[in-house]
Every structure is written in C-alpha cells, then in structure tokens.
Amino acid sequence: NYSKFAIGGASGMSAWGFVHPVDLVKNRMQMQVVPIKTSLPTIIYDIVRKEGFTKLYSGMSAGILRQGTYTTVRLGIYNTLFDKLAAQNNGKPPTFLEKALCASVAGSLGAFVGNPADVSIIRMSTDGQLPVGTRRNYTSVFNALARMI
C-alpha cells in the first residue's frame, strides 16, 4: 500500500516549511568559525538585516527533497514492516523488540536515501555566512547535488 509512503512524505514536506528557518539558524551556529555566544532571535535578526528575509529559506529545496526521500522511505517501510509482522501474528501488534528492529531497518534505509539531500541542506543553508568570494551560490538542490559529485 503506497498511501503510507505518500502520507509520510507529504507530512514531512509540509512540516519542513515551518522547521526550516530554525534548522538554518542551527546549522549556521554549528558552522561558525569563531563560536559566538548569541541567541536564536539575534541570529535571525542578523540574517534578515544582512541578507534579507528570503535567506531564512536558503536550502528549502534541499529540505523538501530530504523529507520527500528520508521521511517517505522511513515511515513507509516502518509501517509496511509493522503491518506484515502484525499479520503474521494473527493481528496482534509486534513486540517491542520487533518494533525496534522495524525502526532500525526503516531508519537506516531512510538515512541512506536521504543523506545526499541532508548534505545539500547544510551546504546551502550555511553558504550565506561564507565570505562573498567563496560562496557557492547554489541555485537549487539539484545544482548543489551536481556540483558536489
């Protein structure tokens, strides 16, 4: 049943629109060359003031691709494995150990599929803090992926 994959991916992609600006700030804080003690609102204010409001969404295409791959695979495979185990067990839910195994398999496969987009998110969201002459100026996640290969 592909609906579980589609619902998982759609939910991840729609949630990313709200999460992305905070993730961008987190990435920039982690990638600072000289760690500066500052707050989330201060960094958001600096990004908007220096680069413009739309830069809070730098790397959004990579985030959507990541959710479209990682979340779709992870939730779809987990639910599929869960249902198969329940069916083999006459409708009883899987044990904790079986659920943990389902989660491990689904998470591993999702991470494998979503990793290139994850790397793109980091590179695209931190590009604005590089000196102007060293910025990569990615135009989309596909541009970033092609240039990383």
Side-chain angles (χ1 to χ4, degrees), residues 45-145:
Y45 175 75
D46 284 346
I47 291 170
V48 171
R49 185 173 53 83
K50 293 175 184 172
E51 302 173 47
F53 178 79
T54 58
K55 290 301 178 179
L56 288 173
Y57 286 90
S58 293
M60 182 69 170
S61 61
I64 296 294
L65 180 64
R66 182 205 187 256
Q67 295 305 320
T69 54
Y70 170 74
T71 304
T72 301
V73 168
R74 181 175 53 93
L75 293 178
I77 288 178
Y78 177 82
N79 287 323
T80 301
L81 293 174
F82 185 97
D83 291 347
K84 286 189 186 282
L85 286 172
Q88 288 177 351
N89 208 9
N90 296 323
K92 285 200 251 179
T95 66
F96 174 77
L97 206 54
E98 290 170 328
K99 289 178 194 175
L101 182 61
C102 290
S104 296
V105 169
S108 298
L109 292 172
F112 178 77
V113 170
N115 186 265
D118 232 353
V119 173
S120 297
I121 292 170
I122 305 298
R123 293 187 79 163
M124 292 175 77
S125 64
T126 58
D127 200 42
Q129 77 186 80
L130 295 172
V132 176
T134 61
R135 290 182 186 169
R136 296 174 187 97
N137 299 314
Y138 298 117
T139 56
S140 71
V141 64
F142 302 110
N143 176 257
L145 289 169

Side-chain angles (χ1 to χ4, degrees), residues 6-69:
I7 290 168
S11 64
M13 288 186 279
S14 54
W16 190 254
F18 298 99
V19 173
H20 184 76
V22 177
D23 190 67
L24 176 133
V25 172
K26 174 206 58 134
N27 290 335
R28 288 198 177 190
M29 289 174 82
Q30 289 176 334
M31 299 299 290
Q32 288 178 347
V33 177
V34 179
I36 302 166
K37 289 190 178 186
T38 189
S39 66
L40 180 84
T42 302
I43 292 177
I44 291 173
Y45 175 75
D46 284 346
I47 291 170
V48 171
R49 185 173 53 83
K50 293 175 184 172
E51 302 173 47
F53 178 79
T54 58
K55 290 301 178 179
L56 288 173
Y57 286 90
S58 293
M60 182 69 170
S61 61
I64 296 294
L65 180 64
R66 182 205 187 256
Q67 295 305 320
T69 54

